[in-house]
Amino acid sequence: MDKYSINTKNFEGPLDLLLFLITKNEVDIYDIPIVEITKQYMDYIYARQSMDLNVATEFLIMAAQLLEIKSKMLLPAETDEQEEEADPREELAKRLYEYKIFKEISSYLAKGQESYFHTFIKDPMYVKTIFVEPESIDIDLDILSNIMKRYLAESKILSDRLDNYEKFQTEKVTVYEKISEIKTALANNGSLSFLKMLSQQKNMTHGITLFLAMLELMKQNLISLKQEKNFDDIIIGINSGEQIG
Amino acid sequence: MDKEILKKAIEAMLFAYAEPLEAALIADVTKTDIEQVNNAASELADEYNYNMSGLVILKLKDKYQMSTRAEYFEYVQALFKEYISSKLSQASLETLSIIAYRQPITRPEIEAIRGVNADSSVKNLLDRGLIKEAGRKDVIGKPIMFETTDRFLLFAGVCDLSQLPDFEEFSQNIQIEAEEEIS
Amino acid sequence: MDKEILKKAIEAMLFAYAEPLEAALIADVTKTDIEQVNNAASELADEYNYNMSGLVILKLKDKYQMSTRAEYFEYVQALFKEYISSKLSQASLETLSIIAYRQPITRPEIEAIRGVNADSSVKNLLDRGLIKEAGRKDVIGKPIMFETTDRFLLFAGVCDLSQLPDFEEFSQNIQIEAEEEIS
């Protein structure tokens, strides 16, 4: 036999190599001719070493185990609790057997992967489009109050920072002042971005008052609100037939 | 190529691609021409409509896209609403709402607001693709910042964020404070 | 709910959700029961198969998933030029087999069976979403345990782990082979 003919084979590990040798020598896993198999295994390791110094540690550990088994086989057999002779090869045989079963399973799974790799699953990120609703939603007070809460939540954090500053503030702002602010802006621009207006408010008191002013204008039926979709900005518009300013 | 096969191939391509797909590209891939593609795609779209399938094939200029049918929108919407409320723990929901309103935000900042360790909820949200990393903050320790993803927008777009339990409380407290200030 | 409408709603939900979707969640959202959902989904899957649709509906345990039909693979693949149909290496397949039949299992336990380091194959399987972490084992060092995912079910072409052949079956195959070889 050409000792080095197996060099190019790519083994997954020492157990894989051992299984190869066992099959090649047509021997039983539970009755390995340890001297011969160890010799072939060592030949393989040496051959690899001469070509590639980075022989995996795992192969060397197995070599040591094989040599240990070989030396135990030379000694008189031990007996275990049941007075039966312990076979030093038994543990290795069990490992090899178990590993062989898993190799069998992996070739079974390998067959199945063909159709798996030929199947595409949609990327769950791309669902946006289904939520695009072409028409604007008329806004009710619930939506409006939600937007307001969002603003409040954001400004809470801002106001934490401005706390000290605000303590010295005694300025009062009235709903009436804010109503005229909205009216003036509407008269100039035709429509307004609610979030933009909010962001221009000096502090939260102004923001809240602006909100109340908007509610008042809505009540008077002077303005209407539109929103493209949930959480979008709200656009304030003048109701048709109404005079502003 | 047989028209029936072309139709099925278009079906599979539109599904996998998810975004609007150019008729020219379909023709390229299937070695047909644009006319054949338009022909097959419009037959396919008709069949979907005739059967009132849960899906539709939309024509957008020179592109096609597969999408859910508007008639079944409520179920899809309910599904995502259910997902967000049943699948996320209270802690994750809290962390998610903080990130949603304060993004980009670092973990220490989240923890400062929540008052508890946010490791596992941040990990959970990352795993679910609801948030993602957004660079590092230029402060000591260069902590990673987080922001919400497109997927989050999807969830948020169909469910009312202000109804998230802790956020409701959070904003109510502020409202009370605000009202006191005004009066 | 009318069965035909339920089928269309399931169609729309599976498309939108993209990932494996629990029958129980569908039942919840559509205000039906799981039996009705299973019934409608299996009819839908049959129709898809009967028409050789470009899509298939797969059952994975108690979940459903929509995907493209393998027969149209070449067209879909051509769309994704960067997509490389890389199959699993022998090392990854071995590690996957061990995890499938011994889950939950730690890396050292996998290594004990394979006799080699399993770092890179475990990482590869995690990246591909075929396995996931499953908590830590209560032994020294608290090593992470791994288990297979729903995607593994797709990979193995079964709808439930219990449908995988018994471990004993493989062991019998080996014994038969061995006897034949030796005799």
Side-chain angles (χ1 to χ4, degrees), chain A residues 126 128-129, chain B residues 13-21 64-66:
Chain A
Y126 293 118
K128 280 181 275 188
T129 49
Chain B
M13 282 188 270
L14 291 181
F15 172 81
Y17 204 73
E19 288 183 328
L21 179 59
Y64 290 95
Q65 179 168 32
M66 189 181 273

Side-chain angles (χ1 to χ4, degrees), chain A residues 172-182 208-217, chain B residues 182:
Chain A
K172 289 279 177 200
V173 54
T174 66
V175 173
Y176 181 76
E177 282 165 16
K178 286 294 164 191
I179 288 180
S180 27
E181 199 179 314
I182 295 176
I208 304 273
T209 319
L210 178 77
F211 179 66
L212 295 174
M214 199 167 69
L215 290 182
E216 183 58 32
L217 284 170
Chain B
I182 291 171

Side-chain angles (χ1 to χ4, degrees), chain C residues 105-112 117-120 122-123 143-146:
Chain C
I105 186 171
T106 67
R107 197 178 338 226
E109 288 164 342
I110 297 167
E111 289 170 351
N117 181 298
D119 271 0
S120 72
V122 165
K123 189 184 172 303
I144 294 167
M145 297 186 288
F146 298 94

Side-chain angles (χ1 to χ4, degrees), chain A residues 185-202:
Chain A
L186 273 177
N188 291 338
N189 303 314
S191 66
L192 287 175
S193 150
F194 178 57
L195 283 182
K196 195 175 164 202
M197 263 196 106
L198 268 180
S199 68
Q200 287 163 351
Q201 302 303 311
K202 265 189 240 168

